[in-house]
Amino acid sequence: MSSLLLAPTLLRQLPPAAKLAVVAAQSRHLGEDMLGVDDPADRARIVIGGIDGSKLVQNENMRPPPSTDIADIEKDVAACVAELRAAHPEIAALLFECTMFPMVTPAIRRLTGLPIYDTATLYRMTFAAVA
């Protein structure tokens, strides 16, 4: 399950002028066709960023992948989010695509004050619907 399934729903929850930032580990692998958003006006409200070249990405490309310190992931995600917000101040929510990001979601939420959705959000919603 990908947290990207949440993108269309999150857009509908945001004010029309607000943007949703999608943060991925490797943004170059995140195509527009993966967002589930066909309307060009809605698509224009999504900005994509990533931590391409980060310690996490470098480590995950090794076999076997060595552990990555959570502080390194947090630093890289925080820098990406800060860059996206500087370029797009209308960002009102974040959607984390990488399955490693839920470990840093609380810290980034405290740092930004923005609502953040990730794979753990999607899992909790799914489990709550069937439990």
Side-chain angles (χ1 to χ4, degrees):
M1 267 205 290
S2 171
S3 61
L4 295 176
L5 292 170
L6 296 170
T9 301
L10 295 177
L11 279 177
R12 286 191 292 276
Q13 292 177 353
L14 296 175
K19 290 191 175 186
L20 173 67
V22 176
V23 182
Q26 297 184 65
S27 60
R28 68 179 183 271
H29 295 294
L30 181 58
E32 290 186 17
D33 60 322
M34 299 171 72
L35 297 172
V37 177
D38 295 326
D39 180 19
D42 283 341
R43 175 57 195 95
R45 296 176 53 214
I46 299 176
V47 295
I48 299 173
I51 59 168
D52 306 75
S54 68
K55 186 71 168 175
L56 173 66
V57 172
Q58 292 172 20
N59 286 349
E60 290 300 312
N61 286 326
M62 294 180 187
R63 293 295 170 255
S67 296
T68 305
D69 188 46
I70 293 174
D72 288 332
I73 300 170
E74 183 180 325
K75 176 181 67 79
D76 292 331
V77 172
C80 176
V81 169
E83 185 177 309
L84 288 171
R85 291 182 80 192
H88 305 276
E90 58 275 42
I91 289 173
L94 303 171
L95 177 60
F96 287 170
E97 183 272 334
C98 179
T99 58
M100 299 289 281
F101 290 177
M103 294 186 290
V104 301
T105 294
I108 305 301
R109 190 177 288 127
R110 283 190 301 275
L111 181 69
T112 64
L114 292 175
I116 301 176
Y117 304 86
D118 56 27
T119 56
T121 307
L122 183 58
Y123 301 153
R124 284 191 302 272
M125 288 172 58
T126 301
F127 292 143
V130 297

